[in-house]
Amino acid sequence: MFYDTTVVQFSKMLQNLSAILDKGATFAESKKIDVAVLLNSRLAPDQFHLIRQVQIACDTAKLGVARITGKTDSAPKHADDETTLADLQQRISDTVAYLASFTEADFSHAATQKITQPRWEGKYLSGYEFLIQHVIPNLYFHITTTYAILRHNGVDVGKKDYLGAMPYKV
Amino acid sequence: MFYDTTVVQFSKMLQNLSAILDKGATFAESKKIDVAVLLNSRLAPDQFHLIRQVQIACDTAKLGVARITGKTDSAPKHADDETTLADLQQRISDTVAYLASFTEADFSHAATQKITQPRWEGKYLSGYEFLIQHVIPNLYFHITTTYAILRHNGVDVGKKDYLGAMPYKV
């Protein structure tokens, strides 16, 4: 369950995010505007801009999987210094590559793994609680917000871009 | 796994959504504007307004659980005629009440349940695929979009309102 729900589905969503960003680039080109305008857009003055939304989406996937597998030290470091679309695409593909380094066996203790963070002041969540109540809602939040920023600016993205292809069977 | 991931977590998120809408009402009151302005707002001219986002969030939870448990006939019908905040709050509480009618045992065949919809032209997904790749991403999409519409209009909502309380242990 953990492997499919994280490595497989998170990778799919990050690839959808990558394709959504490319649609933003195509839009910018067609309107003869600098794509950086979109990358620095936000929905409210005190909300993170698109670049930060993508960074957090990537970190949510990266650190979520690192923490529930107890492999925090294996997570690649990122300086959060992306400024261009190419930088963001690199960040996404680095994250997807990192996720691909996990196997199902890495998740054997995931459900009961004790997860803590400095700001939780010594308190903890189980790996299962952390995944369901924290990681998954956060990942979708930041991908949807990225999508919403582009949508608000006129980029022609739709629900299918967000969900990606479904593995329909006949 | 299925029960916690759907009934428990979806109910939590719908209750968070309800509290977020109440923050919208408080904001409208303080600004002396009709809350209906917020309810009819959208982030793009061809995007659904807030009312429709909440309706779809509720239906995603309701029909998602109904379908993966094979109990589609048990789902309450909704006419999608909500126009006020009170209507939307009723829709949310109806949905939470419906989710509460399920037990863990209802999900015993959920993973392999064949899920299909008229527009899928006879093709199907397993209950597990449907949950992970369709229901969950859609639910968070519509809750986040509702949040984003309010945030864009100046309502003081933050990530804690979206995530809700965490079950921290000492």
Side-chain angles (χ1 to χ4, degrees):
Chain A
M1 188 287 272
F2 279 91
Y3 179 81
D4 289 333
T5 319
T6 59
V7 171
V8 179
Q9 176 64 9
F10 290 2
S11 299
K12 176 182 178 180
M13 289 306 302
L14 290 170
Q15 281 153 347
N16 299 348
L17 177 63
S18 166
I20 286 168
L21 292 176
D22 279 343
K23 280 203 162 184
T26 304
F27 171 85
E29 209 167 310
S30 75
K31 295 281 182 188
K32 302 192 194 314
I33 56 171
D34 188 342
V35 71
V37 174
L38 297 177
L39 304 186
N40 290 284
S41 288
R42 56 191 95 216
L43 293 172
D46 59 347
Q47 188 195 45
F48 289 134
H49 57 21
L50 184 145
I51 289 173
R52 191 83 194 105
Q53 300 292 342
V54 174
Q55 290 167 339
I56 301 176
C58 289
D59 272 4
T60 302
K62 176 181 78 175
L63 297 174
V65 169
R67 286 179 178 138
I68 65 175
T69 55
K71 297 194 163 195
T72 315
D73 293 344
S74 75
K77 301 275 185 289
H78 289 100
D80 291 336
D81 56 0
E82 290 85 2
T83 58
T84 68
L85 180 64
D87 292 341
L88 287 181
Q89 294 290 18
Q90 188 63 50
R91 175 81 173 248
I92 294 172
S93 63
D94 282 357
T95 305
V96 172
Y98 174 64
L99 295 180
S101 72
F102 288 85
T103 64
E104 292 217 40
D106 290 322
F107 293 83
S108 53
H109 302 291
T112 53
Q113 185 80 33
K114 279 190 181 183
I115 312 290
T116 190
Q117 298 191 36
R119 68 172 183 279
W120 296 356
E121 301 169 344
K123 290 173 288 185
Y124 70 94
L125 296 175
S126 74
Y128 185 65
E129 292 163 341
F130 182 62
L131 175 64
I132 301 301
Q133 299 189 46
H134 201 281
V135 179
I136 291 176
N138 265 322
L139 180 69
Y140 288 116
F141 180 92
H142 292 288
I143 293 176
T144 302
T145 303
T146 304
Y147 172 104
I149 292 170
L150 293 174
R151 187 86 166 72
H152 178 62
N153 277 283
V155 179
D156 184 25
V157 282
K159 183 66 79 64
K160 277 190 184 171
D161 298 303
Y162 168 78
L163 289 177
M166 290 294 137
Y168 295 120
K169 285 174 284 290
V170 182
Chain B
M1 187 289 271
F2 278 91
Y3 179 81
D4 289 333
T5 319
T6 59
V7 171
V8 179
Q9 176 64 9
F10 291 2
S11 298
K12 176 183 178 179
M13 290 304 303
L14 290 170
Q15 280 153 350
N16 299 347
L17 177 63
S18 166
I20 286 167
L21 292 176
D22 279 343
K23 280 205 163 184
T26 304
F27 171 86
E29 209 169 309
S30 75
K31 294 281 183 189
K32 303 193 192 312
I33 55 170
D34 188 341
V35 70
V37 174
L38 297 177
L39 303 185
N40 289 285
S41 288
R42 56 191 95 217
L43 293 172
D46 59 346
Q47 189 196 43
F48 289 134
H49 57 21
L50 183 145
I51 290 173
R52 190 85 194 103
Q53 300 291 343
V54 174
Q55 289 167 339
I56 301 176
C58 288
D59 271 5
T60 301
K62 174 182 81 175
L63 298 174
V65 169
R67 285 178 179 138
I68 64 175
T69 56
K71 296 193 162 196
T72 315
D73 293 344
S74 77
K77 302 277 184 288
H78 288 101
D80 291 337
D81 56 1
E82 289 85 2
T83 58
T84 69
L85 179 63
D87 292 342
L88 288 181
Q89 294 291 17
Q90 187 64 50
R91 175 78 173 249
I92 293 172
S93 63
D94 282 357
T95 306
V96 172
Y98 173 64
L99 295 179
S101 72
F102 288 85
T103 64
E104 293 218 40
D106 290 322
F107 293 83
S108 53
H109 302 292
T112 53
Q113 185 79 34
K114 281 191 180 182
I115 312 289
T116 189
Q117 298 191 37
R119 67 172 184 276
W120 295 357
E121 300 170 343
K123 291 173 287 187
Y124 71 94
L125 297 175
S126 73
Y128 186 65
E129 293 163 341
F130 181 61
L131 175 64
I132 300 301
Q133 299 189 46
H134 201 280
V135 179
I136 291 176
N138 265 320
L139 180 69
Y140 288 116
F141 181 92
H142 292 288
I143 293 176
T144 301
T145 303
T146 303
Y147 172 105
I149 292 170
L150 292 175
R151 188 86 167 74
H152 178 61
N153 277 282
V155 179
D156 183 25
V157 283
K159 182 66 79 63
K160 277 190 183 170
D161 298 304
Y162 168 79
L163 289 177
M166 289 294 136
Y168 295 119
K169 283 173 286 290
V170 182

